[in-house]
Structure formats: structure tokens, C-alpha cells
Amino acid sequence: MAGLLTKFGHYTHAVVRGIPASLATEALRSSQADVDLDRAHREHAEYVAVLRTRLGLEVVELPADESLPDCVFVEDAAVVCGDTALVTRPGAESRRAETEAMKDALRKLGLNVVEMTDENATLDGGDVLFTGQEFFVGLSKRTNQRGAEILADAFKDYAVSTVSVTEGLHLKSFCSMGGPGLILIGSSEHAQKALKIMQQMSDHRYEKLTVPDDLAANCVYMNLPDKGHVLLHSTADMFPESFKVLEKLQDYTLIPLSNSEKMKVDGALTCCSVLINKTANI
């Protein structure tokens, strides 16, 4: 397991998807803020450009589908670990067709694709936190116990523990991995309680870095050749106090990215890509 942890954050490919115009009016959301579609496109283009150009990943860009207003949030459609990809069954019925294009893309990349076909199961990838040593699955409005059980069956090499998500959309609405053994966590009471439960359930020790804003705890961590530790995170304009905390991370390449428009429809930075480490034998 220690050898696996040294490879934590190594990625070669990313799957992303375009933003449909329907996102602005039809995407699921907890707030009624107006979405600036042009700005959303610019922000997403910068996100994709960072993955492709600055970080050197091979980016598979799926086309937007106007009939699927939430389709840009590809993380919910699949969980990838090693050479196995679990195609999920999203909790919102309106999002279930998003998995078709994802399934095809993952197969073309040569991954071992497992489909979640049990009609009693729901799982959004936004509820899945992989630490490099184990999985934590948030039981939320979108993910249930049966979904967590199917994930455990798909990734038998790793322990899978569940934690209740009492507020916010997903588990990763208030946490993410900031590096090997480092959990980024929001400061709210429910976020801190969830972390405490995760620590109690785990046989592993994790350091934590608490940021004042829950949504700012959602970051994208990578460990890339010639670049080392990389963290995509929210901008100072969005979360100035959390930005100051993340700036203290030493020996990291810190890349702030604006996500203001997708955040209005409950989208965070991890939501917009599925990251894959495609080894030579895949």
C-alpha cells in the first residue's frame, strides 16, 4: 500500500465535457443566482487549458449535450482508480444519461469499465473521496448505501467507509485531498464533524488543513513528473481568507482558477474532470 501512496496524484489523462447553453436555466441548483453563460465558458476554457497546456495531460473533451444541462460535471458519472472505472448511477434521475458518453470514453482509453446497473443504487462521484489508501463515500441526497457497496465491490483492494453528508450537496462540497495523507476541510461544524468520523473509522493517519470556506476546500491535487505537487484551487476574489491559508502550502505549484458561474449551480473544481493515470499496460 505504501508503494501505491507514492503514486497518489499521478495522472496522465483527463476527461472533461463542454458546457451546454441549458446549464444557465435548467441545471440543478440550490440557489437561484443568474448564471453568466459567457463567463462560465471562459472559466471552463481556462480550466481545460490548465490541464492540457500547463500540466501536460492528455485531455479527452466530450461535447456538450443540450438535453443534459449538468453534463459538464463529469466527476459524478464515473469513479476511476488504477485501471478500473466504475460508471455510476447518479442520484438525480435527470443526470443518468450523462454516463453513456463517459462510458464510451473510458472504454476507448482501455480501462476496465464496471457499470452500476442496480436500480436500487445511487452514487455521484462527488461523494467519493479517494485518499490513495482507502475510499470514503458520503451518504447524501445523491448517494445511498447500496451505491457505496457496489463501489466497494468494484475496488476490492481498498477499504470503503461511509459518512453522512448532512449539509451541502456532496462529501466533496466541503473536503478534498490536498496531497498524500492531507485532507483539505472546510471550517463549518458539519464539515469538521464529518472529518472526525472519517478519522475515527480509518486505520490510517491523516493531517488536515482547515480553510474558512467549505467550498474552498474543494481543490484538485496532482503529483506530476517535473512539476511535483500541484493544487488547483479557488481564487482570492472568491474566497480571500481561504486563499491565504492555501498559500502557506510549501513546495506546491498553486494554480488559482475562477469557478464563480458553475458554483451557482453547485459545481466545484473537482466536478469538472475525471482524472486517470493510464499506465503502459492499460
Side-chain angles (χ1 to χ4, degrees):
M1 226 21 118
L4 292 173
L5 191 57
T6 61
K7 296 181 179 180
F8 181 66
H10 289 204
Y11 300 109
T12 58
H13 290 66
V15 180
V16 301
R17 195 163 190 177
I19 295 178
S22 55
L23 174 99
T25 55
E26 297 175 43
L28 300 171
R29 69 195 73 197
S30 55
S31 78
Q32 296 306 311
D34 290 334
V35 174
D36 181 334
L37 195 60
D38 287 340
R39 183 172 180 179
H41 279 293
R42 290 195 301 272
E43 290 177 342
H44 191 59
E46 183 184 6
Y47 180 96
V48 174
V50 164
L51 296 177
R52 177 182 282 130
T53 306
R54 185 164 178 184
L55 299 180
L57 299 185
E58 291 287 333
V59 176
V60 177
E61 195 162 2
L62 304 177
D65 186 330
E66 290 299 333
S67 70
L68 299 170
D70 294 281
C71 66
V72 67
F73 303 125
V74 291
E75 174 185 49
D76 291 323
V79 177
V80 178
C81 182
D83 61 358
T84 298
L86 174 65
V87 175
T88 67
R89 188 170 183 271
E93 190 171 354
S94 64
R95 300 194 59 191
R96 302 225 169 115
E98 293 174 25
T99 60
E100 290 303 313
M102 177 60 70
K103 178 174 61 179
D104 292 344
L106 296 172
R107 281 183 173 152
K108 286 177 182 176
L109 285 170
L111 294 168
N112 172 32
V113 174
V114 178
E115 294 184 65
M116 186 175 286
T117 57
D118 188 332
E119 293 187 358
N120 293 314
T122 60
L123 183 83
D124 277 15
D127 277 316
V128 179
L129 181 69
F130 179 60
T131 72
Q133 300 176 98
E134 62 190 317
F135 285 94
F136 292 107
V137 178
L139 301 183
S140 68
K141 295 173 184 176
R142 301 286 178 84
T143 297
N144 65 17
Q145 181 66 38
R146 183 64 187 132
E149 290 168 358
I150 293 172
L151 181 138
D153 194 52
F155 301 107
K156 290 187 173 73
D157 289 342
Y158 297 97
V160 176
S161 302
T162 58
V163 56
S164 293
V165 176
T166 57
E167 294 185 41
L169 183 62
H170 291 130
L171 177 63
K172 284 192 284 192
S173 298
F174 53 78
C175 72
S176 65
M177 296 306 294
L182 176 64
I183 295 177
L184 305 178
I185 188 76
S187 63
S188 69
E189 183 179 353
H190 69 267
Q192 291 291 316
K193 182 179 179 181
L195 176 63
K196 187 175 182 179
I197 292 170
M198 289 190 283
Q199 289 173 322
Q200 289 171 342
M201 289 188 297
S202 178
D203 292 330
H204 306 283
R205 292 180 63 88
Y206 296 101
E207 295 182 32
K208 74 169 182 176
L209 180 62
T210 299
V211 293
D213 308 281
D214 279 9
L215 282 173
N218 181 281
C219 300
V220 180
Y221 169 77
M222 302 182 206
N223 183 3
L224 302 175
D226 303 323
K227 295 179 178 65
H229 300 295
V230 176
L231 196 72
L232 313 186
H233 61 94
S234 299
T235 62
D237 288 344
M238 294 172 67
F239 300 113
E241 295 307 312
S242 294
F243 185 88
K244 291 175 185 175
V245 174
L246 293 171
E247 272 192 316
K248 296 175 183 176
L249 287 168
Q250 296 184 350
D251 302 319
Y252 274 66
T253 299
L254 298 172
I255 304 177
L257 285 169
S258 181
N259 191 47
S260 64
E261 301 311 302
K262 285 176 285 184
M263 193 166 64
K264 293 175 182 176
V265 288
D266 302 323
L269 290 175
T270 64
C271 300
C272 300
S273 58
V274 172
L275 300 175
I276 300 158
N277 185 26
K278 188 178 177 191
T279 54
N281 62 342
I282 296 182

